[in-house]
Amino acid sequence: MQAASFLFEVAVFAPLVGFLVAGGFGHLMGDAAARVVTIALMTCAALSAIGVLGFETGDVGTFAVPVADWIHAGRFHADWQLRMDMLSVSVVAMVTVVSLLVHVYSVGYMAHEAQPVYRFFSYLSLFTFAMLMLVTSDNLLQLFFGWEGVGLASYLLIGYWYDRSSACAAAIKAFVVNRVADLFFLLGISLIFIRLGSVSYDDIFAAIPYHVNDTFQLFGTHPLLEVIATLLFIGAMGKSAQLFLHTWLPDAMEGPTPVSALIHAATMVTAGIFLMVRMSPLVELAPVTRDLIVLVGGTTSFFAATVGLVQPDIKRTIAYSTCSQLGYMFVAVGVGAYQASMFHLTTHAFFKALLFLGAGCVIHAVRDEQDMFRMGGLWRKIPLTYAAMWIGSLALAGIFPFAGYWSKDAILEAAWMSGSTMGHYGWVMGCITAFLTALYSWRLIFLVFHGTPRDAHLNAGAHESPPSMLMPLAVLSVGAVVAGVALAPFYIGARQVAFWNGAIAAISGHDIMAQLEETPGIIALVPTFAAVAGIVVAYVCYIASPGIPVAMARGLRPLYLFLLNKWYFDELYDFIFVRPYRALARFLWKDVDEDVVEGIPEGLARLTAGSAGQAVRVQTGSIAVYAFSMLIGLVVLLSTMLFTR
C-alpha cells in the first residue's frame, strides 16, 4: 500500500514540479531544457498513474493519502489528502496519459513560435496539476481549489497569444462565464457544510440518509438534497459547457491547438461530469434534479450538433462536438448510469484528443489556416493525418467497433431502460444527435481532405507533420480503436461492480446498469443506423452532389443564419447582460464618479484656487499701495465709528 501511495503522490505532484521549474527558471534554462523537464516529469506522472491503476484493480478499495493539515477553524475541518479509489485513479491515469501526449505534440506544434515557449509548457503542466488536484480531492473545498485552478490555467492558455485581441477576449469570456457558475457551486458547498456539517466526502455520504426528508426555505419549501444537487449541477454546467453556460467553449479555440485538446479531452470540461459522479450518493436521491440534468444534457447535445453542421472553422466544429458529447454524459448522470458516463468520458478523451491534434496537423500543414472552405484535396498531402481523422471520426460517430460505439450506446440504452419520460427524451435527442454528429464529422472530412483544392497556394505547400506530432496521433488512434472493447467489461459490464468497488453510488433499486442487457435489439441498433445514415447524407451532400448544401443554405437562409450564429446566444447575452451592464458602468463612471464623487471635491478645490488667485493680486509688493490701503481702511473705520454715534 505504501508503494501505491508513493506512486499516487508522484502522479499528482510531478506536473507541479514541472510547472515550478519551467515557469520559474525557464528564462534561464531555455526552451529546450524546459521542454525536457516538463515532458520527463509528465512521463513519470503517467507511468506512476498506470502503476497505481494496477494496484487499485487488486481490490484495494478507498484509501486516503495524507499530504498536510490545512484548515481547522471551529467545527470546520478540511485536511489536505489525496483520495485514492477507482474513480480518482482511473481519471488520474487518463489525464496524465493524454497530457503527456499533448506535451510531446506541442514540441513540434510550437516549434515555429517567435517567442520563448517555456511559459507554454509550464502552463500545460499547471493545467494538468490543477485537474489532478480536482479529481484526487478528499473534500469539496480541496476540489474547489482544483476547480478554480483549471479555470486559472485555462485563462492563461486560451490567452497565451496575448498580442491577439481575440485571444484575450476569449480568455476573459471563459473566466467570467465560469465565475457565474462557480458562485452557485460555492453556495452548494456552503449549504452542505451548514446543513450536513462537513465538506469531507465520507462525512457527507454518511450524513445523507439522515437528511433525506429535510427541507430548505427559499421562495417556498424545497427538499434540501434537491437544492444542493441543483446548485452543484449549475456549477458543473459552467465547467462542462452545457446550454446557457456554453458560450465560452467555442471561443476557447483562440488558444494554441494543443490547449484545445487538453481542455476538451482530459481537463476542464470533464470536471463537471466528475463532480456529478463523485457526488452520486447525493444526486441519486434528488430525482427532480436528475430530470433537469437529462433535460439540459439532451438539449445541449442536440443544440451543439446543429451548430456544428454549419461552422466553417475546423476547430470550432470539433469544439461543438465536445459540447454535444458532454451532453450525452450528463444524460447518463441524469438516469443514474454514472458508470456509463465515466466510460464515455474516458473513451471520449482518446478520440477527442485525436481529433483536435489531427486538426492541429491540418492547420500546421496549411500555414495556420482554419477555414475548411479554403481547403480540399489534402488526403494525398497528409495521408497519416487523414487516417487519424477517419479513426477519430468513426469513434466519435459511434461506429462499431470503435471506442465511442461502446460508451455512447451504453448511455442511450440506459436512457431508454430508465423508463422515465425524461429518459426517453434523452434517448430521442441522443439518437438525433448521433445522426447529426456523423453528418458534420464527415462534412469536415470531405471538405478538408476530398474534392478539388479550393486554394491552390495552400494545397501546394501542404506537408505532413513532424514525428513529434504524429507519434501522439498514433497512440491516440490505438486508444480510439480498442479503448471501448477493452474497458467495457470493467466500466459497464459484468465486472463493473467489483471494478468500481463502491467509488460510485450503488443504491438498492436504483441500479440502471443491471438492466442494460435487457435493452430491446431494435432500440440498441437505432444509434448505429442513425450514424451510418449521417455518413451517407454527408457523402451525398459533399461528394456526390456538392450543390445541395449551397442550395439549402440559400433556400433556408434564416435557419442557416440561426445555426451559423449559434442560436444567437452571444447576441442575446450581449443585449440582456453586456449592454445594460456597460450602460450602468458608464453611468457610474461618468455621472456618479466623475461628476459627483470627484466633481464636488474638485469644485471646492477650484473655488479655493480661484479665491487664492484673487487674493494674490492684492499682494503687489508696493509700499505706496499698502499705505493707500491702510489709509482707506482707516477712513472706513473712522466713518463707521462716527456713524454709529
Side-chain angles (χ1 to χ4, degrees):
M1 202 64 235
Q2 289 183 343
S5 300
F6 174 74
L7 289 176
F8 201 49
E9 290 180 284
V10 171
V12 173
F13 289 106
L16 175 62
V17 177
F19 160 69
L20 294 174
V21 173
F25 305 99
H27 63 291
L28 299 175
M29 62 198 306
D31 286 347
R35 288 196 298 264
V36 170
V37 168
T38 53
I39 292 175
L41 287 166
M42 276 309 309
T43 303
C44 291
L47 294 176
S48 299
I50 294 171
V52 176
L53 189 60
F55 277 106
E56 190 66 23
T57 52
D59 195 23
V60 173
T62 300
F63 186 78
V65 181
V67 176
D69 291 336
W70 194 18
I71 300 175
H72 294 272
R75 66 188 187 95
F76 183 85
H77 300 281
D79 290 327
W80 202 285
Q81 51 190 18
L82 308 180
R83 187 179 183 87
M84 194 168 71
D85 60 9
M86 184 49 70
L87 179 59
S88 61
V89 169
S90 61
V91 178
V92 167
M94 178 271 289
V95 169
T96 51
V97 169
V98 172
S99 181
L100 171 61
L101 295 174
V102 170
H103 275 71
V104 173
Y105 179 92
S106 299
V107 173
Y109 191 86
M110 303 296 287
H112 302 295
E113 280 292 298
Q115 59 180 328
V117 296
Y118 68 86
R119 183 169 57 90
F120 179 79
F121 281 86
S122 70
Y123 290 167
L124 288 181
S125 294
L126 174 63
F127 205 175
T128 306
F129 168 70
M131 186 64 186
L132 295 176
M133 276 285 94
L134 189 157
V135 301
T136 59
S137 61
D138 196 47
N139 59 71
L140 284 171
L141 195 63
Q142 189 180 335
L143 183 145
F144 192 72
F145 169 81
W147 190 273
E148 295 303 298
V150 295
L152 169 63
S154 67
Y155 170 81
L156 296 172
L157 285 166
I158 294 169
Y160 177 75
W161 286 318
Y162 54 82
D163 54 339
R164 303 179 183 179
S165 59
S166 59
C168 294
I172 293 172
K173 185 176 183 179
F175 198 79
V176 171
V177 172
N178 275 278
R179 295 296 75 71
V180 173
D182 291 353
L183 173 62
F184 292 90
F185 182 26
L186 200 55
L187 289 173
I189 295 174
S190 302
L191 189 56
I192 286 174
F193 174 71
I194 292 170
R195 298 297 295 270
L196 273 63
S198 178
V199 294
S200 170
Y201 295 142
D202 289 336
D203 293 341
I204 293 170
F205 300 155
I208 286 174
Y210 301 100
H211 295 271
V212 172
N213 297 318
D214 287 7
T215 58
F216 183 77
Q217 300 289 335
L218 181 66
F219 305 117
T221 302
H222 310 282
L224 174 66
L225 298 185
E226 293 283 6
V227 174
I228 294 174
T230 300
L231 291 172
L232 297 182
F233 172 58
I234 295 173
M237 285 174 63
K239 272 289 182 289
S240 295
Q242 293 300 282
L243 196 65
F244 304 115
L245 292 171
H246 68 280
T247 54
W248 66 271
L249 190 63
D251 291 0
M253 298 304 96
E254 292 292 339
T257 300
V259 176
S260 304
L262 199 54
I263 289 176
H264 287 249
T267 61
M268 188 75 171
V269 297
T270 59
I273 304 296
F274 179 86
L275 171 64
M276 291 288 98
V277 175
R278 174 60 80 192
M279 299 302 294
S280 56
L282 187 151
V283 175
E284 191 67 15
L285 296 176
V288 175
T289 302
R290 287 173 50 198
D291 283 347
L292 175 64
I293 293 172
V294 174
L295 176 64
V296 172
T299 307
T300 300
S301 65
F302 172 74
F303 151 76
T306 61
V307 176
L309 287 174
V310 298
Q311 294 300 304
D313 186 292
I314 184 172
K315 285 175 63 176
R316 285 178 182 263
T317 300
I318 301 173
Y320 277 107
S321 77
T322 299
C323 194
S324 185
Q325 297 302 305
L326 289 165
Y328 277 115
M329 299 177 208
F330 276 109
V331 168
V333 169
V335 299
Y338 307 101
Q339 298 89 337
S341 183
M342 290 306 301
F343 187 24
H344 198 52
L345 184 150
T346 304
T347 59
H348 178 263
F350 287 104
F351 62 73
K352 188 49 58 70
L354 175 61
L355 287 170
F356 266 114
L357 297 186
C361 289
V362 173
I363 295 168
H364 182 268
V366 293
R367 301 186 183 90
D368 297 328
E369 180 58 59
Q370 295 182 200
D371 187 348
M372 295 187 291
F373 290 102
R374 294 193 61 195
M375 303 176 191
L378 288 175
W379 75 272
R380 292 186 179 87
K381 298 283 186 176
I382 47 175
L384 298 178
T385 301
Y386 173 62
M389 293 296 286
W390 258 90
I391 293 173
S393 296
L394 287 167
L396 173 64
I399 301 299
F400 180 85
F402 294 86
Y405 164 80
W406 303 91
S407 55
K408 185 187 70 178
D409 280 27
I411 290 173
L412 294 178
E413 289 172 13
W416 179 267
M417 293 305 296
S418 69
S420 66
T421 301
M422 273 301 157
H424 289 168
Y425 173 82
W427 182 84
V428 171
M429 289 292 102
C431 291
I432 295 173
T433 300
F435 168 77
L436 298 176
T437 299
L439 176 54
Y440 67 67
S441 295
W442 267 263
R443 169 182 178 265
L444 184 154
I445 288 177
F446 294 145
L447 285 176
V448 172
F449 296 103
H450 290 269
T452 57
R454 300 173 191 84
D455 190 319
H457 178 66
L458 284 180
N459 189 275
H463 56 87
E464 194 64 90
S465 300
S468 62
M469 296 172 66
L470 293 177
M471 187 276 285
L473 292 189
V475 175
L476 291 168
S477 295
V478 173
V481 174
V482 305
V485 66
L487 297 178
F490 300 95
Y491 277 71
I492 61 171
R495 302 174 63 181
Q496 58 100 3
V497 175
F499 177 77
W500 292 113
N501 199 14
I504 294 177
I507 299 176
S508 178
H510 289 253
D511 189 9
I512 189 67
M513 301 306 298
Q515 304 176 37
L516 293 190
E517 294 182 359
E518 302 172 10
T519 305
I522 186 63
I523 297 299
L525 291 174
V526 168
T528 300
F529 288 148
V532 172
I535 298 173
V536 172
V537 171
Y539 176 82
V540 171
C541 291
Y542 294 97
I543 298 295
S545 301
I548 292 177
V550 177
M552 291 183 67
R554 290 174 180 170
L556 302 172
R557 187 158 184 80
L559 176 61
Y560 172 74
L561 292 176
F562 179 72
L563 299 180
L564 185 63
N565 288 283
K566 302 156 287 189
W567 290 26
Y568 291 104
F569 270 104
D570 284 324
E571 290 77 7
L572 180 64
Y573 288 171
D574 182 69
F575 177 76
I576 296 176
F577 300 114
V578 177
R579 292 184 186 179
Y581 179 81
R582 185 177 296 159
L584 176 62
R586 185 173 184 81
F587 168 75
L588 294 175
W589 168 35
K590 289 292 186 181
D591 297 338
V592 177
D593 189 43
E594 289 191 352
D595 293 347
V596 178
V597 177
E598 295 180 4
I600 293 176
E602 287 182 357
L604 293 173
R606 286 193 295 269
L607 178 61
T608 303
S611 302
Q614 296 299 323
V616 165
R617 295 182 180 181
V618 179
Q619 306 299 323
T620 62
S622 171
I623 295 176
V625 172
Y626 294 159
F628 182 70
S629 299
M630 292 172 65
L631 179 61
I632 293 174
L634 181 60
V635 170
V636 171
L637 178 61
L638 291 173
S639 300
T640 303
M641 291 175 63
L642 291 172
F643 178 77
T644 55
R645 283 188 177 184

